[in-house]
Amino acid sequence: QVQLVESGGGSVQAGGSLRLSCTASKLTYTIYSMGWFRQTPGKEREGVAAVTNDGSTTYTDSVKGRFTISKDNANNTLYLLMNSLKPEDTAMYYCAYGSGWYPTPLLRTYAYNYWGRGTQVTVSS
């Protein structure tokens, strides 16, 4: 069983930055994707950014140019650097890990087998 633990969330003013981290207990798949999703009450979970084992990345349009996803393979850690934060970025952010090969990583929940419990990001105007 893989466990994912997120950290780094918090409250920040618009225009500020945060870096989220997600540490995996182990990475059992040779070919995999890891991603960040977010969710607000009453809405579906939305894919934000994802990266494959070979480093291919994808971002949802609303965060392109502001967010950067990266991973530290040696420490089984996934990051999300969030700059120029906006109030609409306020959400619970979840880390996800899944097997399977895709030419670019998917921002779809069905592509991921394991999920963390989330870390809250609140951006005030």
Side-chain angles (χ1 to χ4, degrees), residues 17-74:
S17 299
L18 285 173
R19 189 179 78 158
L20 305 184
S21 299
C22 169
T23 301
S25 58
K26 56 185 175 180
L27 295 180
T28 56
Y29 304 132
T30 302
I31 299 174
Y32 63 85
S33 295
M34 296 190 77
W36 289 99
F37 288 73
R38 63 187 179 188
Q39 189 171 23
T40 55
K43 293 190 176 181
E44 291 187 357
R45 194 165 293 189
E46 172 195 28
V48 176
V51 60
T52 61
N53 57 283
D54 63 359
S56 297
T57 59
T58 191
Y59 298 89
T60 193
D61 286 346
S62 63
V63 308
K64 286 179 181 177
R66 300 189 298 124
F67 290 11
T68 303
I69 190 170
S70 62
K71 58 186 178 71
D72 179 349
N73 294 328

Side-chain angles (χ1 to χ4, degrees), residues 70-121:
S70 62
K71 58 186 178 71
D72 179 349
N73 294 328
N75 293 301
N76 291 349
T77 302
L78 181 72
Y79 299 102
L80 184 68
L81 176 61
M82 306 185 294
N83 294 323
S84 303
L85 282 161
K86 304 176 180 180
E88 51 264 42
D89 294 318
T90 295
M92 183 72 79
Y93 282 72
Y94 297 91
C95 173
Y97 171 61
S99 64
W101 181 85
Y102 304 98
T104 56
L106 298 183
L107 295 178
R108 298 290 183 267
T109 56
Y110 64 75
Y112 297 87
N113 308 95
Y114 297 98
W115 295 84
R117 293 190 173 186
T119 185
Q120 178 68 37
V121 171

